[in-house]
Amino acid sequence: QMGLAENQLCFNLIHEWLLKNPEASICTAQGAAEFRDIAIFQDYHGLAEFREAVAKFMGKVRRNRASFDPDRIVMSGGATGAHEMIAFCLADPGDAFLVPTPYYPGFDRDLRWRTGVKLIPVVCESSNDYQITIEALEAAYETAQEADIKVKGLLITNPSNPLGTIITKDTLEALVTFANHKNIHLVCDEIYAATVFSQPEFTSIAEIIEEDKICCNRDLIHIIYSLSKDMGFPGFRVGIVYSYNDAVVSCARKMSSFGLVSSQTQYLIASMLADDEFVDKFIVESRKRLAMRHSFFTQRLAQVGINCLKSNAGLFVWMDLRRLLKEQTFEAEMVLWRVIINEIKLNVSPGSPFHCSEPGWFRVCF
Amino acid sequence: MGLEINKQAGVELSNIAVSDTHGEDSPYFAGWKAYDEDPYHPFDNPSGVIQMGLAENQVSFDLLEEYLEQHSEASTWGKGAPRFRENALFQDYHGLKSFRQAMASFMEQIRGGRAKFDPERIVLTAGATAANELLTFILANPGDALLVPTPYYPGFDRDLRWRTGVKIVPIHCDSSNNFQITPEALESAYNEAESMNMRVRGILITNPSNPLGITIPRHVLEQLLDFVTLKNIHLISDEIYSGSVFTSPDFTSVAEILHSRNNVAECAERVHIVYSLSKDLGLPGFRVGTIYSYNDKVVTTARRMSSFTLISSQTQHLLASMLSNQKFTENYINTNRDRLRRRYEMIVEGLRSAGIECLKGNAGLFCWMNLSSFLDEPTREAELNLWDSILHRVKLNISPGSSCHCSEPGWFRVCFANMSEHTLRVALKRIQKFTQQRRRNN
């Protein structure tokens, strides 16, 4: 299975911490005194300790170049729930979000299914390493205008899934300027923030809006986060909406009733992420192990003549198999994909579900 | 520090975001606020507001704590790292099989084995809040209507309507027949919806009822099934209080009567049950809800949609263990019932000696109290005035019937299981003093 973007590299560190901290579980002898209070706690604000610990963790992951206010943290049912929730808050049925391609296939469901919102691709290509250009943004925006569709926002994933690359500071500044100019929201999915394992450094949108030279209406800026990738806890369903817009925080908080994080889990996470020594060690070690995996994998692929997009983040690489296609079409991509699944017995993800404009690219998780 | 540009007209949010369909402006929630600002505590704040507006079950925690003490393997992940890893990675929207099996078996036990539940039909959601919204998304389109008997749980206004765009049309029930749902009331609600050009998609009942605290009689359930079959609509039965039936008549679940009907196939595909552990087990924080549907397509779709609201695998793991221990669950169900009955008897007697009668209840975590004789006039305004003085002068947060859409003013829901016996006695003393004073003043 190389189609599942999961992070399994640091479980031993977590396990070690759990054994040393039995009071973090409300079900052990050491933690049982808290059981009752935690079990009845269903306040949609979430446990204060949980929000504080998550805010601190988010800051550390960004090397403390940005700080996060615990009162702006809203819970949701994983990032899946967070994306749907932000779409419900920002857009009406029929409205659209612009999304750079290639993008995570789940967005088609998360942002559109029950909300009735549309996604309009901002086409990015391998010719410039898939960087988001102003031309591509303007073209997508125009497409919407011509079809009489109201654009409510721009959704970026940084670091990118499936590319594994970070968005440069210059580009982020341009995106903020674009959003302000069109008066549309900027939703930044930073779910892979702690998986940046080598240069260039990751810049969060939280840092950009603090810059003196940037004119920004903060009411437009929203961050989506989760512990599913950075910590490797997808089962715990810890999704976060962090908005700089008070009205959105208030509305999202009410909506979070439909997907609150289990108080048992909030309690455990609060404990774990408040442990500075553990967190610092975890972040460093996780990066190291991801770097080693990535390097091992890409070097061996290169040895057999397979190139990947140069990347420094994420749990996957964006593999270039264009020269193996019979012809440069998506049908040929599917044929190749079936060969890889059926004969080589590897599940990799073909580029077309990611809305990639060029056939022949595959996302491979490591 | 970034420069803030002059905010223009302000960036727009969605219609859903700016609407007030979240329902939080109702007195139901305002009372909670008053409690939060001045919460009663026996030593630290003995004159604070006592919370009687929160339907929580705190009478049986010791049983849960005892279980955990004796079964530490349930809650931890054992000595092997792989078990934690497996659990932390598990995000399959089918849910842990062992947990679904445990839920099915628990639901069967609650119904005394009179119904069987197939674990493959159990869809997990983060709480009944999510379950009810999810079913609404699946069964109805924006603008369609669900019929709901009044009085009903105030949260439905948000859960069924807010993001779905679906409307609620009330099935009016009143005290003349102890608030039972009648065929006439059903027909009348259906016609009302039609006259407003709304397509009726289903009926949602809560059985046992919140706020009434009574179980729906079998013959009424049969009538409901007849009605929904005739009109070709759905029936959602929210059975969240099914484990809190503490005295006769016995609880009859829609699941029990389904199989005794001669048109079972035609009937079953329109029946869906909602359940949760928030009331019976007193674990609202853990966000454990389920949808049990007899309709395959609904099960499949609900399962996909549950991606937005899965239950933490950590919690599934803990509860799978607990709920599959039949000795524990048997003892819990029986003990819980006994304790709820004793609480109920205590509050009813206490209210009676204050000159207050309640609807004869047999289930739930609350009673439905009749204060109509204390109203200045039989109006909603008078009810809210009374509510306000009870909140601010008697310092009790109780829920006014109007927030539950009750058509008769003067009824109030009073919770009795979310506090210690001592606190309940303090609350009853305050009520007795209040009614004494009212009588003297009159």
Side-chain angles (χ1 to χ4, degrees), chain A residues 4 6-8 11 14-15 18 25-28 32 35-36 38-42 44 77 80-81 84-85 87-92 109-110 113-114 150 152 180 183-185 209-212 214-220 232-237 245 247-248 251 254-255 257-265 268, chain B residues 1-5 7-8 10-17 22 24 54 56-58 61-62 64-65 68-69 72 75-81 84-85 87-91 93 126 129-130 133-134 137 158-159 162-163 279 282-287 301 304-305 307-316 318 322:
Chain A
L4 190 53
E6 265 175 16
N7 183 357
Q8 295 193 29
F11 276 118
I14 310 271
H15 190 248
L18 287 171
S25 164
I26 52 176
C27 313
T28 55
F35 179 81
R36 182 184 294 233
I38 296 298
I40 59 179
F41 185 85
Q42 56 173 329
Y44 60 28
T80 299
E84 188 193 50
M85 191 158 81
F88 268 124
C89 287
L90 304 181
D92 294 322
R109 169 199 61 192
D110 301 348
W113 189 13
R114 306 193 300 184
K150 192 160 183 206
K152 276 302 187 68
N180 274 270
N183 196 29
I184 61 176
H185 293 279
I209 62 176
E210 298 290 345
E211 289 175 0
D212 286 334
I214 292 293
C215 278
C216 182
N217 174 3
R218 283 168 184 238
D219 281 350
L220 300 176
F233 296 159
F236 292 176
R237 313 315 300 149
N245 182 321
V248 172
C251 174
K254 294 183 173 88
M255 273 190 194
S257 300
F258 298 112
L260 296 174
V261 175
S262 166
S263 54
Q264 178 195 15
T265 301
L268 173 70
Chain B
M1 209 37 206
L3 290 171
E4 298 240 4
I5 58 173
K7 292 178 192 183
Q8 310 143 352
V11 65
E12 270 180 44
L13 301 186
S14 65
N15 292 330
I16 286 174
H22 50 71
E24 285 192 16
L54 189 54
E56 262 177 18
N57 182 1
Q58 295 191 26
F61 264 122
D62 59 308
L64 297 173
E65 284 160 349
L68 290 171
E69 241 172 80
S72 62
S75 48
T76 58
W77 290 280
K79 299 202 177 72
F84 172 81
R85 177 194 299 237
N87 187 237
L89 290 173
F90 185 84
Q91 56 172 331
Y93 60 29
T129 299
E133 187 198 43
L134 205 150
F137 267 122
R158 170 197 60 195
D159 302 348
W162 191 18
R163 305 191 304 181
K279 309 296 177 183
L283 305 173
F286 287 2
R287 313 316 299 146
T301 309
R304 289 194 180 115
M305 259 190 205
S307 300
F308 300 111
T309 184
L310 297 175
I311 301 178
S312 169
S313 54
Q314 180 194 16
T315 301
Q316 290 188 50
L318 165 68
M322 194 186 276

Side-chain angles (χ1 to χ4, degrees), chain A residues 117-173:
Chain A
V117 166
K118 301 187 196 304
L119 294 184
I120 293 177
V122 176
V123 182
C124 303
E125 291 168 339
S126 59
S127 53
N128 72 337
D129 290 338
Y130 296 96
Q131 283 191 56
I132 307 165
T133 64
I134 293 296
E135 293 74 38
L137 282 172
E138 292 285 358
Y141 193 85
E142 269 249 358
T143 307
Q145 302 269 75
E146 278 160 20
D148 215 16
I149 296 172
K150 192 160 183 206
V151 175
K152 276 302 187 68
L154 167 63
L155 167 67
I156 60 173
T157 306
N158 180 31
S160 161
N161 174 10
L163 303 175
T165 53
I166 53 117
I167 299 182
T168 66
K169 205 144 161 281
D170 288 340
T171 306
L172 285 172
E173 288 168 0

Side-chain angles (χ1 to χ4, degrees), chain A residues 21-302:
Chain A
N21 295 274
E23 74 290 349
S25 164
I26 52 176
C27 313
T28 55
Q30 296 84 344
E34 298 301 318
F35 179 81
R36 182 184 294 233
D37 286 340
I38 296 298
I40 59 179
F41 185 85
Q42 56 173 329
D43 181 345
Y44 60 28
H45 288 80
L47 282 175
E49 318 86 91
F50 169 74
R51 283 182 287 111
E52 281 154 12
V54 170
K56 197 160 66 145
F57 183 71
M58 287 171 72
K60 282 185 181 225
V61 162
R62 290 153 183 74
R63 300 173 199 262
N64 290 318
R65 286 201 300 263
S67 69
F68 295 88
D69 176 0
D71 291 335
R72 291 194 172 283
I73 288 188
V74 178
M75 301 180 284
S76 60
T80 299
H83 276 291
E84 188 193 50
M85 191 158 81
I86 201 78
F88 268 124
C89 287
L90 304 181
D92 294 322
D95 290 346
F97 274 89
L98 307 181
V99 194
T101 65
Y103 64 77
Y104 162 58
F107 284 162
D108 288 331
R109 169 199 61 192
D110 301 348
L111 293 158
R112 299 184 323 161
W113 189 13
R114 306 193 300 184
T115 61
V117 166
K118 301 187 196 304
L119 294 184
I120 293 177
V122 176
V123 182
C124 303
E125 291 168 339
S126 59
S127 53
N128 72 337
D129 290 338
Y130 296 96
Q131 283 191 56
I132 307 165
T133 64
I134 293 296
E135 293 74 38
L137 282 172
E138 292 285 358
Y141 193 85
E142 269 249 358
T143 307
Q145 302 269 75
E146 278 160 20
D148 215 16
I149 296 172
K150 192 160 183 206
V151 175
K152 276 302 187 68
L154 167 63
L155 167 67
I156 60 173
T157 306
N158 180 31
S160 161
N161 174 10
L163 303 175
T165 53
I166 53 117
I167 299 182
T168 66
K169 205 144 161 281
D170 288 340
T171 306
L172 285 172
E173 288 168 0
L175 295 178
V176 168
T177 305
F178 179 82
N180 274 270
H181 198 241
K182 306 286 193 204
N183 196 29
I184 61 176
H185 293 279
L186 181 59
V187 179
C188 309
D189 185 345
E190 299 190 347
I191 195 176
Y192 291 100
T195 68
V196 181
F197 49 77
S198 65
Q199 294 291 329
E201 268 177 24
F202 168 64
T203 309
S204 164
I205 201 74
E207 298 169 54
I208 301 292
I209 62 176
E210 298 290 345
E211 289 175 0
D212 286 334
K213 59 174 159 154
I214 292 293
C215 278
C216 182
N217 174 3
R218 283 168 184 238
D219 281 350
L220 300 176
I221 311 293
H222 323 276
I223 298 177
I224 302 292
Y225 189 56
S226 159
L227 297 183
S228 300
K229 309 297 178 181
D230 289 350
M231 300 285 306
F233 296 159
F236 292 176
R237 313 315 300 149
V238 181
I240 303 290
V241 171
Y242 188 94
S243 176
Y244 291 89
N245 182 321
D246 292 345
V248 172
V249 170
S250 173
C251 174
R253 197 178 274 136
K254 294 183 173 88
M255 273 190 194
S256 68
S257 300
F258 298 112
L260 296 174
V261 175
S262 166
S263 54
Q264 178 195 15
T265 301
Q266 287 186 52
Y267 189 76
L268 173 70
I269 298 298
S271 215
M272 195 183 281
L273 298 187
D275 185 338
D276 288 326
E277 208 192 302
F278 166 74
V279 169
D280 292 341
K281 184 168 124 190
F282 180 91
I283 291 175
V284 166
E285 191 60 32
S286 176
R287 283 189 184 134
K288 224 165 52 176
R289 295 181 191 184
L290 284 169
M292 281 192 328
R293 270 295 172 102
H294 175 265
S295 155
F296 171 73
F297 192 50
T298 50
Q299 275 169 24
R300 299 290 264 248
L301 285 176

